[in-house]
Amino acid sequence: MYNILICDDEPDIVSALKIYLASDGYGIYEAYNGREAIEMMQKTEIHLVLMDIMMPEMDGIQTMVKIRENSNVPVIFLTAKSEDNDKVLGLMVGADDYITKPFNPVEVQARVKSQLRRYMQLGGGNMTKKNLAIGGIELDDSAKVVTLDGDAVSLTPTEYDILKLFMEQPGVVFSPKDIYRKVWKDAPFGSESTVAVHIRHLREKLEYDPANPQYLKVVWGQGYKMERGNTP
């Protein structure tokens, strides 16, 4: 059983999400502000967090930063339609996805399942061994480990899936919509900013000079591709 933490300062929203997800057999934990969420994660094994952005005491952005200090657990933000800037900021500080209020129960269930599947695969899984290497970057798909020049690199499940997509087809240009379809398994509405934030995170973790990347390249007007860098 996977444990899901729902964090929102509106009890009705927490109750509704609890109903949607409890029917799928998840263990549901509740918090009503960021501080409660952090405390819950310190004493309970949580596999996914659904969290509102606008909350008292500690908002979703601050809480997200705190979570990422110690955990790569998937986090899905709950946002209002008017919070576009906050959505992008949330992705920049480490969120994996967002769902816009009011919710579609089927969408909530699908996105939760997708993120949990990635997260659990990253933690192990019985998958066929597959090693990929480009320049100093190595990806061991059986162990779900990425290294840069031999040093382990901590990636979120979404970052890992994007990197794997690129490393499986070096030199191929993927548009933001292509990346979103293949990684998020969803219609690519508003995909450009979401993908761009995750590419930025990958560059910060894998490039020695993120402003002048040698691996993750932009092809203006088309998308992104993976090159072999300056090493043979």
Side-chain angles (χ1 to χ4, degrees):
M1 178 183 293
Y2 301 141
N3 294 329
I4 296 176
L5 173 61
I6 302 171
C7 182
D8 196 298
D9 61 324
E10 296 185 41
D12 289 345
I13 289 179
V14 175
S15 296
L17 288 169
K18 185 176 181 178
I19 292 171
Y20 299 160
L21 297 170
S23 63
D24 287 332
Y26 301 122
I28 305 298
Y29 293 82
E30 304 171 22
Y32 296 92
N33 60 61
R35 295 189 190 282
E36 290 182 3
I38 296 299
E39 291 172 1
M40 181 65 69
M41 293 186 70
Q42 289 173 343
K43 61 184 181 182
T44 306
E45 183 179 11
I46 298 296
H47 302 102
L48 181 141
V49 179
L50 281 164
M51 183 165 59
D52 189 26
I53 289 181
M54 301 301 294
M55 296 185 295
E57 294 191 45
M58 181 185 286
D59 66 22
I61 302 298
Q62 294 171 309
T63 307
M64 182 74 255
V65 172
K66 193 70 176 176
I67 289 173
R68 283 291 176 257
E69 289 179 359
N70 302 299
S71 174
N72 279 332
V73 65
V75 176
I76 301 176
F77 267 135
L78 310 174
T79 72
K81 289 184 178 179
S82 61
E83 296 172 346
D84 288 342
N85 290 337
D86 288 329
K87 293 174 188 176
V88 174
L89 181 56
L91 293 168
M92 290 178 67
V93 297
D96 294 278
D97 204 353
Y98 61 84
I99 300 174
T100 302
K101 303 175 185 179
F103 313 121
N104 178 324
V106 175
E107 178 187 7
V108 171
Q109 292 170 317
R111 288 178 183 259
V112 165
K113 287 179 181 177
S114 175
Q115 291 294 336
L116 279 172
R117 181 174 62 250
R118 282 198 204 104
Y119 181 60
M120 299 314 293
Q121 286 176 345
L122 267 177
N126 298 316
M127 300 183 69
T128 303
K129 183 175 178 63
K130 187 174 185 180
N131 293 320
L132 301 169
I134 293 180
I137 301 173
E138 294 187 12
L139 184 150
D140 182 345
D141 201 32
S142 60
K144 302 301 175 188
V145 171
V146 174
T147 59
L148 176 64
D149 294 335
D151 296 325
V153 178
S154 178
L155 301 181
T156 68
T158 302
E159 291 165 359
Y160 181 93
D161 283 352
I162 293 173
L163 179 64
K164 181 183 173 184
L165 173 66
F166 283 128
M167 293 187 71
E168 287 178 330
Q169 302 180 70
V172 175
V173 178
F174 293 96
S175 72
K177 290 182 179 180
D178 290 336
I179 297 169
Y180 200 89
R181 288 191 189 98
K182 292 177 183 293
V183 173
W184 278 264
K185 312 293 185 186
D186 199 3
F189 299 116
S191 58
E192 286 80 2
S193 60
T194 300
V195 170
V197 169
H198 284 86
I199 295 293
R200 175 181 171 183
H201 286 163
L202 280 170
R203 284 174 170 167
E204 290 171 348
K205 294 179 179 182
L206 296 171
E207 302 279 4
Y208 288 107
D209 182 1
N212 297 287
Q214 61 173 315
Y215 296 113
L216 292 167
K217 302 278 192 175
V218 64
V219 180
W220 296 109
Q222 298 183 51
Y224 304 93
K225 67 176 180 177
M226 186 103 180
E227 292 189 351
R228 297 190 177 275
N230 299 324
T231 56

